[in-house]
């Protein structure tokens, strides 16, 4: 299993772009970008910004979507949240 | 090219789930779910809710991401927006 994983959350898109590029520059041939819930859109932005502006030679190898169960701290009830995993290679 | 396309926007998730299910029930073997920008997360939700709650037999056949150029009405300048296309089959 690849350890080159970048989790996309609420920070600016370029933070995650930089994280991915650093992994590639340090020799990684494959980076996995993961996100949940509303951050899913941002994960797609990260890939697209990286591909269009900084590293045109990356390829989207695979995209998986799924569901995880999360327990909210407020209500203590389990809710489902969508997930995405985007595998990019260079 | 398939005409069975559902565009996901700002309406509640179940509206789009219902639209997809109606297409399948009326004989479609393939439905394409498209979204842009922040609606990308919602498009993933649509597929996951449909698969987990209503139609466990659907399969995610292919997922594509991309970029479109949009011209904002406010500023009149072109901006890039990420897109997603999720092809599901039954």
């Amino acid at each position: 299993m690849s350890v080159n994983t970048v989790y996309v959350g609420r920070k600016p898109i370029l933070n995650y772009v930089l994280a991915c590029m650093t992994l590639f520059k340090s020799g990684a041939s494959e980076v996995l970008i993961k996100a949940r819930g509303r951050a899913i859109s941002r994960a797609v932005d990260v890939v697209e910004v990286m591909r269009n502006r900084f590293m045109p030679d990356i390829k989207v190898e695979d995209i998986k979507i799924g569901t995880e169960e999360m327990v909210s701290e407020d209500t203590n009830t389990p809710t489902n949240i969508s997930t995405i995993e985007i595998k990019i290679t260079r």
Side-chain angles (χ1 to χ4, degrees), chain A:
Chain A
M1 199 180 142
S2 169
V3 288
N4 296 313
T5 302
V6 173
Y7 290 91
V8 174
R10 294 176 195 177
K11 291 179 193 165
I13 292 165
L14 286 181
N15 290 31
Y16 304 111
V17 171
L18 188 66
C20 293
M21 289 176 62
T22 305
L23 286 170
F24 279 126
K25 296 284 187 195
S26 68
S29 60
E30 185 180 309
V31 172
L32 199 60
I33 297 172
K34 292 189 180 187
R36 297 194 292 196
R38 291 196 194 168
I40 287 174
S41 316
R42 183 164 293 138
V44 175
D45 286 339
V46 168
V47 177
E48 289 301 305
V49 166
M50 188 158 50
R51 182 160 61 180
N52 290 323
R53 284 204 236 157
F54 301 107
M55 281 190 167
D57 57 342
I58 61 167
K59 284 201 180 66
V60 176
E61 194 75 14
D62 190 31
I63 305 178
K64 283 186 191 137
I65 60 175
T67 303
E68 275 179 28
E69 199 172 76
M70 284 186 78
V71 177
S72 156
E73 286 182 7
D74 302 335
T75 61
N76 225 23
T77 53
T79 48
N80 287 330
I81 190 162
S82 298
T83 61
I84 198 167
E85 283 186 23
I86 307 173
K87 191 198 284 184
I88 50 178
T89 56
R90 191 187 180 210

